[in-house]
Amino acid sequence: MNSGYLIINEMGEFLAPGQQFLQLIEWLQSEESRQVQHGEIEKIMKRDGFELIRLMIQAHFDHRAALEPRIAVVKGAEGTMRHHCKLGTSRQLETPFGTVTVHRKGYNVRGCMNLHPMDAQLNLPPDKYSHTLREQVSLEASKNSFDEAVKSVLATTAGKVPKRQTEQITVAASRDFESFYDQRQNQEEEKTADLLIMTTDGKGVVMRQESLREHTRKKSERQQKDRKKARLNPGEKRNRKRMATVASVYTVAAHPRTPEEIMNTCNSDQEAKQERPRVQNKRVWASLERKPQEVTREMFDEAVRRDPHQKREWAVLVDGDERQLERIQTEAKNHGLVLTIILDFIHVLEYLWKA
C-alpha cells in the first residue's frame, strides 16, 4: 500500500479533508481533466477547494471537541454556578466555505441558560454567521443593494446569507462605530507637522416616505397628489431623498504643485510627475440623524483632538455651498482658528459655464 494512504488513515479527525485532497490530486492527474478547458478546471477547483477548506475547518473543530476537558463548575456572568455538564451539544456555523458544526460541552443549572466554554474560546458570534462571512456581507452591502449583496456573496463564497440576515448583519456591523471613535478622545495628539485636512459635504439618500424629514415628506405628499410629470429624468428623485452630512479628517504631507500640474497639462518628458504623499489616519463618517451643524462640530472636535495647540496648518476642502461655509466659519471662530478654506471649483464649474 502507498505510504501516503497509510499516513492519511492515521489522521483521525483529519481523515475526510485528507481524502478530499487526494481526490483533487487524482482528478488533476486524470485523463478526464486533460480534456477540459482552463475555465472549467477553475470552476471545479473553486467548488472542491471550498469543500476541502470546509472539511479542514470541520476537522479542526472536531479535534478541539475531542480534547475539550470537562470543567467541575462554570460560573456565569450573573454569578450562578453551573455544575451539570451536558455532552454532545452542537451548533452550526456558516462560513465563507460552507456550513460546519461545532460540537462542545454545555453546562447548566435549573432556571439558567446553558453556557458553552468552547463558544467563548472560539469567539463564536451569537448567530450562525462567522465573523469572516459577516465582514464579506458588510463590504458587499456597502457597495450595492441588499439583493445584490446576497447575489455577490453566493457567487464568490460557499456561504449562504438570506436577505433579511444580510440587513441585520449590516446594521450590527455599524453599531459600535460611534463608541469606537469615542474611545479615541483621550488619545495623544498626532506627533507630526504635516497638514491637517478637513472636508465635509452632503449626500442625498433615497428614503422611504415615512423616514423623510417633515418638510420633505410634505412636499413628497403634495407631489404624489399632483402627478403632473409622468416620468422623472434619469437619476432624478424629487422629494425622495434625505440629506446625510459627510465629514472627514486626515493628515497629509504638503505637496506643492503648479497650476499646470494640477490641470495635468505638464510635458511629462520635461518634468517628471512627483509622487503624491499618502493620506494618513483618515476618518470618514456620516449621519442622517444629526443636523449638519452637529456633524461639522464633530469634525472640528476630531481635528482639535489631533492638534489641540493648533501648531499645524489647518485646511478645509469644500464645494462652495454657502450654508456649509457659514457652518465652517462659525466653528472656526468658536475655536479661535486660523483656517485655510480650499474651494473645489470643479464642483461649481458647471454653474460658472452657465453664467
Side-chain angles (χ1 to χ4, degrees), residues 130-186:
S130 74
H131 293 307
T132 305
L133 187 58
R134 297 168 75 90
E135 180 181 13
Q136 181 73 20
V137 167
S138 300
L139 289 172
E140 295 299 333
S142 70
K143 296 183 291 185
N144 298 300
S145 67
F146 290 123
D147 287 323
E148 290 299 320
V150 171
K151 292 178 183 178
S152 181
V153 170
L154 281 174
T156 57
T157 75
K160 298 178 181 178
V161 186
K163 181 179 178 180
R164 185 178 66 178
Q165 283 72 22
T166 295
E167 296 175 0
Q168 293 171 347
I169 288 172
T170 304
V171 171
S174 62
R175 185 170 296 151
D176 298 324
F177 181 88
E178 302 291 347
S179 58
F180 171 79
Y181 279 103
D182 286 343
Q183 293 175 1
R184 294 160 45 115
Q185 297 305 316
N186 296 326

Side-chain angles (χ1 to χ4, degrees), residues 16-30:
Q19 291 175 333
Q20 173 78 1
F21 177 72
L22 288 177
Q23 289 173 5
L24 283 174
I25 297 297
E26 185 177 343
W27 184 83
L28 289 170
Q29 293 176 330
S30 69

Side-chain angles (χ1 to χ4, degrees), residues 65-294:
L67 299 177
E68 183 184 11
R70 180 167 180 166
I71 305 173
V73 60
V74 173
K75 182 179 180 181
E78 77 289 344
T80 304
M81 301 295 185
R82 292 161 173 81
H83 299 274
H84 178 67
C85 177
K86 185 177 181 180
L87 304 178
T89 65
S90 64
R91 58 168 293 183
Q92 288 190 327
L93 182 68
E94 189 75 11
T95 77
F97 313 105
T99 307
V100 296
T101 302
V102 181
H103 301 282
R104 72 273 204 255
K105 293 180 173 65
Y107 296 83
N108 59 19
V109 68
R110 188 183 297 275
C112 294
M113 64 181 294
N114 292 354
L115 292 182
H116 304 89
M118 181 65 75
D119 288 8
Q121 292 176 17
L122 290 169
N123 192 25
L124 297 181
D127 57 26
K128 66 178 290 187
Y129 303 103
S130 74
H131 293 307
T132 305
L133 187 58
R134 297 168 75 90
E135 180 181 13
Q136 181 73 20
V137 167
S138 300
L139 289 172
E140 295 299 333
S142 70
K143 296 183 291 185
N144 298 300
S145 67
F146 290 123
D147 287 323
E148 290 299 320
V150 171
K151 292 178 183 178
S152 181
V153 170
L154 281 174
T156 57
T157 75
K160 298 178 181 178
V161 186
K163 181 179 178 180
R164 185 178 66 178
Q165 283 72 22
T166 295
E167 296 175 0
Q168 293 171 347
I169 288 172
T170 304
V171 171
S174 62
R175 185 170 296 151
D176 298 324
F177 181 88
E178 302 291 347
S179 58
F180 171 79
Y181 279 103
D182 286 343
Q183 293 175 1
R184 294 160 45 115
Q185 297 305 316
N186 296 326
Q187 292 182 0
E188 295 182 0
E189 63 183 279
E190 292 180 336
K191 304 298 183 182
T192 179
D194 290 341
L195 303 176
L196 183 58
I197 308 298
M198 295 179 288
T199 183
T200 181
D201 202 354
K203 173 62 178 176
V205 181
V206 179
M207 307 290 291
R208 295 172 64 93
Q209 186 165 332
E210 63 269 21
S211 297
L212 294 170
R213 291 191 170 94
E214 184 177 1
H215 177 69
T216 310
R217 180 173 51 78
K218 289 181 179 179
K219 291 176 65 176
S220 178
E221 290 171 350
R222 287 197 298 269
Q223 178 186 327
Q224 294 295 325
K225 292 178 182 178
D226 295 334
R227 286 200 170 262
K228 295 181 181 179
K229 188 174 181 180
R231 179 175 293 181
L232 298 177
N233 295 326
E236 186 179 6
K237 294 181 173 61
R238 286 202 310 267
N239 303 322
R240 289 181 55 195
K241 291 184 177 181
R242 183 166 173 170
M243 192 63 67
T245 305
V246 185
S248 179
V249 181
Y250 58 88
T251 295
V252 67
H255 180 53
R257 291 180 293 167
T258 65
E260 291 75 19
E261 288 173 328
I262 293 174
M263 298 303 294
N264 198 24
T265 58
C266 292
N267 188 333
S268 57
D269 295 332
Q270 296 178 354
E271 187 174 353
K273 293 182 180 180
Q274 298 179 8
E275 184 177 353
R276 299 184 66 175
R278 293 178 63 87
V279 169
Q280 303 292 330
N281 300 331
K282 187 174 186 178
R283 176 189 171 188
V284 182
W285 72 102
S287 178
L288 277 167
E289 298 177 334
R290 296 190 293 281
K291 296 179 179 179
Q293 52 265 38
E294 294 180 71

Side-chain angles (χ1 to χ4, degrees), residues 19-58:
Q19 291 175 333
Q20 173 78 1
F21 177 72
L22 288 177
Q23 289 173 5
L24 283 174
I25 297 297
E26 185 177 343
W27 184 83
L28 289 170
Q29 293 176 330
S30 69
E31 176 66 24
E32 179 187 355
S33 70
R34 294 196 292 272
Q35 305 303 316
V36 299
Q37 298 177 353
H38 85 279
E40 186 64 24
I41 294 175
E42 289 177 334
K43 291 178 181 179
I44 292 172
M45 287 298 99
K46 178 182 177 182
R47 181 197 65 200
D48 293 352
F50 278 160
E51 176 60 11
L52 172 60
I53 297 174
R54 189 195 71 81
L55 289 172
M56 293 175 68
I57 295 173
Q58 182 66 69

Side-chain angles (χ1 to χ4, degrees), residues 315-329:
V316 58
L317 174 65
V318 294
D319 64 7
D321 183 284
E322 293 183 357
R323 291 170 298 181
Q324 182 187 79
L325 285 169
E326 289 175 1
R327 292 192 292 269
I328 289 170
Q329 290 168 341

